[in-house]
Amino acid sequence: MTALDLSSPVAVVGTGTMGQGIAQVALVAGHPVRLYDAVPGRARDAADAIGARLDRLVEKDRLTAADRDAARARLTPAGSLAELADCALVVEAVLERLDVKQELFRELEDIVSEDCLLATNTSSLSVTAIGGALRHPGRFVGLHFFNPAPLLPLVEVVSGFATDVTSATRAYETARAWGKTPVACADTPGFIVNRIARPFYAEAFAVYESQGADPATIDAVLRECGGFRMGAFELTDLIGQDVNESVTHSVWQSFFQDVRFTPSLAQRRLVESGRLGRKSGQGWYDYRDGAERPEPHTAEKRPAPSYVVAEGDLGPAGELLAMAREAGIQVREEDEDNGTRLVLPSGGELHLADGQTSVEFRDVVYFDLALDYRRATRIALSACQDTSPQVLAEAIGFFQALGKDVSVIGDVPGMIVARTVARIVDLAHDAVAKGVATEEDIDTAMRLGVNYPLGPFEWSRRVGATRVHDLLEELSLREPSGRYAPSLALYRHAHAADSREGTP
């Protein structure tokens, strides 16, 4: 099944920001496009707005004047749904209400031809439920674009329970012909991105709620250590706290209040107070005129230890040994079967975050997972009140000698990056096991949809499924709500990895 022919008219119903964006994508790709909105005059206004954006593309040399003029000639505001009768594809981008969408598609089904592909851009409703209102739901599919649609490449192509393979394939190929990067997805709450991205926000909020660190520090660690484009607090301020919480709540409810998707009480209070982020002037941060952005906690300068003893395999943190030698710190390596750690001159120990806490041990300082320890500019450390000040000072000095800013947070199991990545990896493994999408499509979706530095399976291979599984098990022991219990899919991957490595 191939993409729609460029001569085939495409209709977009709903002319808000997303509807206009989808229409622009189809228009620039070369299709005749019809715009319809139930409110009189809006379709014409939307056509004018799209024309203005095409003008800006010409000014930026991203579109020729001739192509702009041809595109404008192909764009037609429709005064009624009946004017969409000859369209080969109708994409809906109206109010996120099931009854509204179902009624719209019932009307469309009486107007368009039997081979017209019908699509919804819903981000939170069931594609199956919307299509269930149709006499022929096999031709119904989800085409979930990301805002702004003309700029962001990802499109989730969602097959409902009754969607025909031919319809899904045609939608997939059409999105690709439009210059997008489509990923195939089953109809599951949140699809790919909004399902698997929940821990990025949830774990940051959980660390904050446990008073482990303030928003500015958590955001800085996610960016400068984890390699994420933005931290969870600044990103939700940009998205809108009400919008982000609504998606989280929808996914949680759709999964029958699964504890893995439980919304944040702190975010709920923020929404209740009207602090919705940038659009309201205040969110986690203050955006009003004259407000100062809070700085992340950064430890004062400490002397570097003269040496460290490396015991066991540091796994994803192994690069630290070469970096320490380059910084003039002597490294002694010893083979140990009972642990992986760096022993400091004081006798204290540095451990990569593993889901345990410092209070359980004598003078153990944890350090967080980094995307790339060489390129990271900040490292988070975690210690308890009983940790020796000398041990903590040596730990701080060690990472400062490697050129890192150091943020000391509370005694939080799994810290910040490590627990966030572990939960994202776990949800991704679970999604594949349940037929939501392939590993490749999930990695593509998370990189392109939310700009993650690595896809979940790339993280899994880098960190190791066994290490991720064990961290979640330790977290689950300390917070036994079920939120951190590793999935059966991750258990299987970890067990298979152990078997390949010869672990009994």
Side-chain angles (χ1 to χ4, degrees):
M1 182 63 66
T2 57
L4 294 176
D5 188 272
L6 289 181
S7 64
S8 302
V10 171
V12 178
V13 179
T15 58
T17 301
M18 185 58 78
Q20 290 182 32
I22 296 169
Q24 181 179 328
V25 170
L27 190 65
V28 172
H31 288 273
V33 174
R34 313 270 171 77
L35 282 174
Y36 174 77
D37 197 289
V39 178
R42 280 192 181 173
R44 170 56 63 187
D45 292 343
D48 292 341
I50 293 171
R53 283 198 290 273
L54 296 178
D55 288 340
R56 289 195 290 274
L57 290 178
V58 172
E59 293 169 3
K60 296 176 181 178
D61 292 326
R62 296 177 184 173
L63 190 70
T64 67
D67 286 343
R68 174 201 58 197
D69 294 342
R72 278 181 165 171
R74 294 193 303 271
L75 181 60
T76 306
S80 68
L81 287 177
E83 295 178 41
L84 313 183
D86 64 337
C87 289
L89 167 64
V90 180
V91 184
E92 162 274 316
V94 301
L95 189 66
E96 282 287 273
R97 273 181 44 187
L98 180 60
D99 59 336
V100 172
K101 294 179 187 290
Q102 286 179 329
E103 179 57 31
L104 169 64
F105 284 110
R106 285 193 195 98
E107 291 184 48
L108 284 169
E109 196 171 34
D110 291 332
I111 294 169
V112 299
S113 64
E114 291 186 2
D115 60 352
C116 175
L117 190 63
L118 299 177
T120 175
N121 183 59
T122 186
S123 61
S124 61
L125 299 175
S126 164
V127 171
T128 301
I130 300 171
L134 299 175
R135 295 189 302 274
H136 304 290
R139 58 159 158 184
F140 188 74
V141 67
L143 276 178
H144 181 217
F145 289 77
F146 288 74
N147 194 29
L151 297 180
L152 294 187
L154 185 69
V155 177
E156 292 177 319
V157 181
V158 186
S159 293
F161 186 78
T163 302
D164 292 336
V165 173
T166 53
S167 298
T169 302
R170 172 157 283 185
Y172 184 98
E173 293 300 334
T174 297
R176 184 157 64 177
W178 291 356
K180 296 301 180 182
T181 302
V183 292
C185 174
D187 185 20
T188 184
F191 309 141
I192 297 174
V193 172
N194 281 329
R195 171 180 179 149
I196 295 174
R198 297 345 295 163
F200 180 74
Y201 314 108
E203 294 312 306
F205 298 160
V207 172
Y208 167 76
E209 289 173 335
S210 68
Q211 300 187 54
D214 60 279
T217 299
I218 295 169
D219 277 354
V221 172
L222 286 168
R223 287 193 315 269
E224 300 170 34
C225 181
F228 292 95
R229 184 74 60 87
M230 298 179 74
F233 296 90
E234 57 190 343
L235 180 55
T236 52
D237 268 356
L238 178 64
I239 295 168
Q241 297 302 331
D242 53 339
V243 174
N244 181 261
E245 194 216 19
S246 176
V247 174
T248 299
H249 195 271
S250 174
V251 172
W252 176 61
Q253 289 283 23
S254 297
F255 276 112
F256 306 105
Q257 300 186 359
D258 186 329
V259 68
R260 295 176 301 167
F261 302 101
T262 301
S264 161
L265 181 59
Q267 188 180 38
R268 174 94 289 266
R269 293 291 179 260
L270 205 65
V271 172
E272 289 174 340
S273 70
R275 298 188 176 192
L276 306 182
R278 289 181 178 272
K279 62 185 178 183
S280 69
Q282 285 181 287
W284 295 111
Y285 300 108
D286 191 339
Y287 301 94
R288 294 172 298 181
D289 290 344
E292 293 185 8
R293 179 70 175 260
E295 293 294 325
H297 168 76
T298 302
E300 294 181 0
K301 188 68 177 175
R302 296 286 188 270
S306 57
Y307 72 91
V308 292
V309 179
E311 297 184 350
D313 178 12
L314 293 180
E319 185 67 12
L320 291 175
L321 302 186
M323 294 168 62
R325 291 187 178 100
E326 293 163 11
I329 300 173
Q330 182 184 2
V331 177
R332 307 171 190 168
E333 295 189 59
E334 297 181 2
D335 291 331
E336 289 286 337
D337 295 329
N338 62 345
T340 57
R341 59 196 174 192
L342 291 173
V343 182
L344 299 163
S346 60
E349 300 173 3
L350 270 170
H351 290 240
L352 176 60
D354 59 8
Q356 300 184 84
T357 57
S358 291
V359 75
E360 302 167 54
F361 306 98
R362 180 178 177 82
D363 289 340
V364 166
V365 176
Y366 283 98
F367 64 94
D368 211 346
L369 176 68
L371 171 67
D372 182 329
Y373 282 97
R374 281 196 176 274
R375 298 177 63 183
T377 57
R378 182 177 300 273
I379 296 292
L381 301 181
S382 151
C384 70
Q385 291 182 341
D386 295 332
T387 302
S388 161
Q390 181 182 357
V391 169
L392 183 56
E394 287 178 345
I396 293 170
F398 174 79
F399 282 103
Q400 288 175 335
L402 306 188
K404 316 300 180 188
D405 287 330
V406 175
S407 292
V408 179
I409 69 170
D411 192 13
V412 177
M415 302 193 67
I416 298 170
V417 179
R419 71 193 284 169
T420 299
V421 167
R423 288 211 56 223
I424 289 170
V425 167
D426 184 58
L427 287 185
H429 278 286
D430 184 55
V432 169
K434 291 177 178 173
V436 173
T438 65
E439 291 186 8
E440 181 180 3
D441 276 357
I442 287 175
D443 275 356
T444 298
M446 301 313 291
R447 286 196 310 269
L448 299 184
V450 277
N451 285 315
Y452 282 6
L454 294 175
F457 292 96
E458 293 173 312
W459 270 114
S460 184
R461 288 188 289 273
R462 179 174 292 198
V463 177
T466 300
R467 190 182 296 271
V468 172
H469 173 273
D470 291 350
L471 184 149
L472 289 172
E473 273 206 328
E474 294 291 352
L475 262 170
S476 192
L477 285 172
R478 287 153 185 81
E479 297 190 26
S481 64
R483 175 187 179 115
Y484 298 101
S487 66
L488 177 59
L490 181 61
Y491 170 81
R492 285 173 171 156
H493 277 267
H495 184 75
D498 285 344
S499 297
R500 287 193 297 270
E501 295 167 6
T503 303

